[in-house]
Amino acid sequence: KRGLLIGRMQPVHKGHISVIQETLKEVDELVIGIGSAEKSHTLSNPFTGGERILMLTKALREYNIDPSRYYILPLEDIACNSLWVGHVTMLTPPFCRVYSGNSLVQQLFQEANIPYTQPPLFNRTEYSGTEVRRRMLNNDNWEKLVPNSVIKVLKEINGIQRIQKLNQKEI
Ligand code: ATP
Ligand code: MG
């Protein structure tokens, strides 16, 4: 049995690792789609699809998750929600169930007769991309919310400097 999990992962945080670990208890293989893969260099989507693939690859290796059990691929957005499921299935290995808490994702797959599961959230007040990005802007202890390997990638790409620069106002 193969499942699909989609997240923008801006950036990868420990909530993503938990949901991947939990979902891997239910499926043999997990297809992990990096959503809005074409977006980058904005405050809500600071990192490129490639940078996020690097973060997730390193983090899943750090947590000793068997690499034969997952596939990581970029999923670009499309303009038409009504065509989105076909777009996703065109790009992904076959899967029989979607794991997502996003209600639009749930609705679109349900209409395509693909079942979904709403996975539980872990420590959501801290393990949230929005919270990690907020702390990065404020130099406020974001490091403990992400895997060590993600800290390393963010250093390599000067990620904190990037997001803080994006936040500067023209004067
Ligand atoms: P953002 O605040 O930028 O939207 P996010 O933390 O919601 O970031 P996404 O990249 O939007 O993360 O990923 C969405 C998916 O990741 C969710 O549908 C959910 O399945 C999973 N996820 C995110 N945070 C957690 C968490 N704390 N516990 C479990 N799953 C999580
Ligand atoms: Mg989200």
Side-chain angles (χ1 to χ4, degrees):
K1 179 178 166 187
R2 207 174 292 116
L4 172 68
L5 189 134
I6 300 177
R8 289 183 6 264
M9 312 205 191
Q10 291 281 13
V12 173
H13 57 65
K14 289 178 178 173
H16 296 127
I17 304 302
S18 296
V19 74
I20 289 166
Q21 285 175 324
E22 288 306 304
T23 310
L24 279 169
K25 293 176 184 169
E26 285 182 36
V27 297
D28 304 304
E29 296 188 358
L30 192 58
V31 181
I32 308 171
I34 306 278
S36 303
E38 81 286 7
K39 292 200 170 66
S40 72
H41 296 84
T42 70
L43 282 175
S44 47
N45 290 291
F47 308 116
T48 68
E51 289 164 344
R52 288 173 276 154
I53 287 176
L54 186 62
M55 290 176 203
L56 188 60
T57 303
K58 302 278 193 197
L60 296 181
R61 189 185 300 168
E62 176 185 344
Y63 282 77
N64 288 315
I65 300 173
D66 179 357
S68 70
R69 297 191 59 206
Y70 59 81
Y71 308 83
I72 302 174
L73 42 104
L75 293 175
E76 290 179 28
D77 288 337
I78 59 167
C80 305
N81 286 337
S82 62
L83 301 179
W84 183 73
V85 170
H87 169 75
V88 169
T89 54
M90 168 181 78
L91 296 170
T92 47
F95 57 89
C96 61
R97 181 171 286 274
V98 176
Y99 294 82
S100 176
N102 182 287
S103 51
L104 174 62
V105 172
Q106 293 173 349
Q107 179 64 24
L108 294 175
F109 277 106
Q110 184 175 53
E111 288 183 21
N113 294 314
I114 297 171
Y116 68 82
T117 297
Q118 172 140 9
L121 290 168
F122 304 93
N123 186 14
R124 184 61 171 165
T125 47
E126 290 196 301
Y127 294 166
S128 120
T130 303
E131 175 64 11
V132 176
R133 294 190 301 276
R134 188 190 68 74
R135 292 191 188 194
M136 286 173 161
L137 286 176
N138 297 312
N139 292 314
D140 179 14
N141 202 12
W142 55 271
E143 288 95 337
K144 67 169 194 175
L145 308 185
V146 308
N148 286 325
S149 47
V150 172
I151 300 177
K152 219 173 144 191
V153 171
L154 285 162
K155 282 212 179 97
E156 178 189 337
I157 66 173
N158 282 315
I160 307 307
Q161 190 255 337
R162 180 189 300 171
I163 193 168
Q164 292 181 351
K165 183 77 185 167
L166 292 168
N167 197 39
Q168 282 177 12
K169 303 286 173 279
E170 191 172 346
I171 47 166

